[in-house]
Amino acid sequence: MTRRRPRRARAEVSRLPAVVGSETTERRSDGDWIVRRISGAAARKQYRCPGCEQEIRPATPHVVCWPDDRIADRRHWHTVCWTRRDRRIQPGR
């Protein structure tokens, strides 16, 4: 018979700090961007990726990016969408 942990022990595990990656600065065609990598363990909410307009589900590793001087404009992106961002066809071209 397997031994189960008491409920209190399981609840304490959920209070552990989330793992968030380091911030880097990336130079893109439209300026410098701060990029923060988010691990699956730290991704607890659902977001919509501005690159593909699809959901980023909880527990999905992704990136949070914002222009170097405007943290209020930060957005959550799928990692591959952010990587391919400069190669997308821009509207109006």
Side-chain angles (χ1 to χ4, degrees):
M1 189 153 126
T2 60
R3 193 169 175 202
R4 294 181 61 164
R5 280 195 243 166
R7 287 185 186 268
R8 186 175 68 230
R10 279 191 232 136
E12 290 171 7
V13 171
S14 67
R15 285 189 255 149
L16 292 175
V19 179
V20 177
S22 61
E23 290 180 7
T24 59
T25 303
E26 293 184 15
R27 179 154 293 169
R28 296 293 180 122
S29 60
D30 57 347
D32 291 344
W33 289 77
I34 305 297
V35 179
R36 181 183 296 161
R37 303 204 180 283
I38 307 296
S39 70
R44 297 182 178 167
K45 291 173 58 180
Q46 182 172 307
Y47 298 97
R48 184 155 309 269
C49 174
C52 66
E53 298 296 327
Q54 300 297 312
E55 294 177 355
I56 301 173
R57 299 187 51 104
T60 303
H62 62 280
V63 295
V64 179
C65 310
W66 62 91
D68 189 24
D69 56 346
R70 297 187 318 255
I71 193 167
D73 292 339
R74 67 183 178 269
R75 298 291 178 260
H76 294 253
W77 291 72
H78 290 109
T79 304
V80 70
C81 293
W82 175 254
T83 304
R84 296 179 179 169
R85 179 174 171 263
D86 287 339
R87 288 187 266 170
R88 289 186 316 159
I89 297 173
Q90 300 297 324
R93 280 190 167 183

